[in-house]
Amino acid sequence: MTRAFRFDRLFIGGEWVTPIDGGVRSSIDPATGESWGDVAYGGPQDIDRAVAAAREAFEGPWRRMSPWERAALLRRFADLYAASVEDLAQVETRDNGRAIRESRGDIGLHAQYYHWFASLADKLGGRTIPMDDSVHAFTSRLPVGVVGTITPWNVPLMAAAWKLGPALAAGCTVVLKPAEQTPASSLALAHLFEEAGFPAGVVNVVPGDGPTAGAHLVAHPQVDKIAFTGEGETAKTILRTGAETLKRFSFELGGKAPHILFADADLDQALNAATASAWTLCGQSCALGSRVLVERPIYDEVVDQFRQRAARVRVGIPQDPATHMGPQAHQQQLDKTLSYVGIGRDEGAELVTGGSRIERDGLAGGYFVEPTVFAGVAPDMRIAQEEIFGPVAALIPFDGEDEAVAIANGTRYGLTAGLWTRDTGRAHRVSQRIEAGMVWVNTYRYIRWSTPYGGVKQSGWGRENGIEALDSYLETRTTIVSTTGAFADPFAN
């Protein structure tokens, strides 16, 4: 790395400070199972001072700053981010085990997210409401206030971009609490906000445990909104904790995406996408197509191709540019994935390939698992209903459009979906019937700053990215101005 990022302090009120009731812990490298550095963790008192700093900044310089000045700061930050991609990628790969080729590709796009939201900062106008000549009625869009952002361990920097970008463009201030398993990259991010010249307290970064620091952030009466990415059960706890203060919430939760391969698809391209979406990020993404729905005429061929392509996946040390797939991000996730392999076997699915921890020389200490394929999966099996978050593909046969749609919609999730067909009419018919916040046709996992992203059913509330992302960070105020100043005396008669 060329930048000397510091991880053993919290970033609060524009200063690097020692935790009050947190401490400094070792951060575990998932490729080795050993410590790779010391990282600061905060507790409730650290959250208190971060919220106080964010509130002071919101009521002071940030709120008074013109929208184009905020936009200029965001652009300066985005340029610094673009110049720091390699350093940020190295930190994130070391922290969560993502293959460096994936980290570079993903993080290399993040600056565009910040530029996109900077472009919207000075365009958040309201509207005039037609009434009669006696009044002028109009709306204004105002920032919600102090936002608590809680980001996940699988893609901490991407999740931060999706939350910090719209929050700052809207004029909010932020307390960022990254997942306790992967705190380092968010502290690296704080260095860039400091260098970009953001006023003190606009962005504060406090890693910490969910049940202590996270819960205190959610319950804090001076926090106006929580933006959370993670598990649905945690979201329910957040709702209960934050109910007393009637906060706003936006949630990006789990997924069990259907990836539908019709018999008339361009099969080679569909398989490229389906295998990528099964094993990218070691399966640790809620958008991945972990349920592969295959029309029966091509089912056997797809099963065979998955077996062959799994053997081509290079699993290895994530810092190696040749590695396709790194380890699971932590021991608990490895244990969870392996437990679901056992569940799949017990349910009667056919384990086509994989399913074991990798313990060969050089990888034995890390949390590595083989790319895994199950065939003969029934739609109601747990491996087809529950989010595993590991490199486990469940291949489900179907006959015709109606059955494909029924299986696709047959879970509590509704985040993303994909389908492959050469029939344009079928593409429109099926995509319109799928219950998901984003549907891809003849492509997969195409996500950009201007495309709204989010789920239906138990996959979330609200949208990230696109113009719609700003909605949950803004309040609407209606103003009515009399043009006459006259107000009749109700007691005149």
Side-chain angles (χ1 to χ4, degrees), residues 266-444:
D266 182 332
L267 192 54
D268 190 56
Q269 298 303 314
L271 283 164
N272 288 344
T275 52
S277 73
W279 302 317
T280 292
L281 231 168
C282 200
Q284 297 169 136
S285 169
C286 45
L288 297 186
S290 55
R291 289 187 297 150
V292 186
L293 282 54
V294 186
E295 200 162 19
R296 207 171 292 275
I298 60 171
Y299 186 76
D300 290 343
E301 183 179 359
V302 169
V303 171
D304 185 58
Q305 281 292 317
F306 261 79
R307 179 191 293 109
Q308 293 183 41
R309 291 175 184 231
R312 289 164 42 196
V313 178
R314 291 192 296 269
V315 182
I317 297 300
Q319 287 81 7
D320 183 348
T323 292
H324 291 140
M325 190 176 89
Q328 302 262 255
H330 50 84
Q331 180 72 56
Q332 294 86 346
Q333 183 55 48
L334 174 66
D335 294 342
K336 179 183 176 183
T337 296
L338 295 176
S339 75
Y340 271 99
V341 173
I343 289 168
R345 283 171 161 161
D346 293 343
E347 290 181 313
E350 175 195 354
L351 181 61
V352 174
T353 188
S356 298
R357 183 173 185 174
I358 300 173
E359 298 184 289
R360 66 175 183 264
D361 289 347
L363 304 183
Y367 311 132
F368 295 92
V369 63
E370 296 171 322
T372 301
V373 181
F374 278 103
V377 177
D380 59 350
M381 289 181 178
R382 288 183 62 189
I383 60 171
Q385 288 288 321
E386 299 173 14
E387 189 173 42
I388 299 172
F389 235 53
V392 181
L395 307 188
I396 305 171
F398 72 86
D399 292 295
E401 291 180 21
D402 289 343
E403 186 178 14
V405 170
I407 295 171
N409 293 341
T411 76
R412 66 181 182 271
Y413 297 111
L415 184 59
T416 62
L419 65 100
W420 289 80
T421 178
R422 287 188 170 96
D423 184 332
T424 303
R426 168 181 283 163
H428 284 284
R429 287 193 304 271
V430 174
S431 62
Q432 289 173 19
R433 295 173 64 189
I434 292 176
E435 296 168 350
M438 178 170 269
V439 180
W440 294 290
V441 178
N442 293 335
T443 187
Y444 202 86

Side-chain angles (χ1 to χ4, degrees), residues 90-405:
Q90 291 290 342
V91 172
E92 186 151 299
T93 285
R94 180 58 65 87
D95 221 19
N96 73 355
R98 189 176 189 180
I100 190 66
R101 62 164 62 190
E102 286 186 4
S103 295
R104 287 169 175 157
D106 177 21
I107 294 169
L109 292 175
H110 294 175
Q112 294 302 322
Y113 285 87
Y114 289 105
H115 276 300
W116 162 258
F117 288 111
S119 74
L120 299 177
D122 58 357
K123 300 173 182 64
L124 304 178
R127 62 189 181 94
T128 299
I129 303 172
M131 297 296 293
D132 57 56
D133 290 344
S134 67
V135 297
H136 175 55
F138 62 94
T139 63
S140 305
R141 302 280 272 164
L142 307 172
V144 166
V146 175
V147 176
T149 63
I150 302 175
T151 51
W153 46 260
N154 61 330
V155 284
L157 286 175
M158 184 180 78
W162 290 13
K163 292 169 174 56
L164 291 172
L168 296 172
C172 298
T173 56
V174 177
V175 177
L176 168 60
K177 193 209 82 67
E180 52 265 40
Q181 299 92 343
T182 54
S185 58
S186 296
L187 288 166
L189 200 64
H191 283 271
L192 302 185
F193 279 108
E194 181 183 35
E195 187 174 342
F198 275 71
V202 172
V203 177
N204 308 271
V205 181
V206 184
D209 294 324
T212 52
H216 195 67
L217 180 63
V218 171
H220 203 293
Q222 290 296 309
V223 173
D224 302 293
K225 169 186 162 57
I226 295 292
F228 170 76
T229 296
E231 294 183 352
E233 290 304 312
T234 305
K236 294 174 186 177
T237 300
I238 287 173
L239 280 173
R240 289 189 290 268
T241 303
E244 287 297 318
T245 51
L246 290 177
K247 288 178 170 59
R248 283 192 174 203
F249 297 96
S250 57
F251 295 126
E252 198 272 277
L253 306 177
K256 194 70 178 176
H259 201 161
I260 307 169
L261 279 56
F262 285 100
D264 68 341
D266 182 332
L267 192 54
D268 190 56
Q269 298 303 314
L271 283 164
N272 288 344
T275 52
S277 73
W279 302 317
T280 292
L281 231 168
C282 200
Q284 297 169 136
S285 169
C286 45
L288 297 186
S290 55
R291 289 187 297 150
V292 186
L293 282 54
V294 186
E295 200 162 19
R296 207 171 292 275
I298 60 171
Y299 186 76
D300 290 343
E301 183 179 359
V302 169
V303 171
D304 185 58
Q305 281 292 317
F306 261 79
R307 179 191 293 109
Q308 293 183 41
R309 291 175 184 231
R312 289 164 42 196
V313 178
R314 291 192 296 269
V315 182
I317 297 300
Q319 287 81 7
D320 183 348
T323 292
H324 291 140
M325 190 176 89
Q328 302 262 255
H330 50 84
Q331 180 72 56
Q332 294 86 346
Q333 183 55 48
L334 174 66
D335 294 342
K336 179 183 176 183
T337 296
L338 295 176
S339 75
Y340 271 99
V341 173
I343 289 168
R345 283 171 161 161
D346 293 343
E347 290 181 313
E350 175 195 354
L351 181 61
V352 174
T353 188
S356 298
R357 183 173 185 174
I358 300 173
E359 298 184 289
R360 66 175 183 264
D361 289 347
L363 304 183
Y367 311 132
F368 295 92
V369 63
E370 296 171 322
T372 301
V373 181
F374 278 103
V377 177
D380 59 350
M381 289 181 178
R382 288 183 62 189
I383 60 171
Q385 288 288 321
E386 299 173 14
E387 189 173 42
I388 299 172
F389 235 53
V392 181
L395 307 188
I396 305 171
F398 72 86
D399 292 295
E401 291 180 21
D402 289 343
E403 186 178 14
V405 170

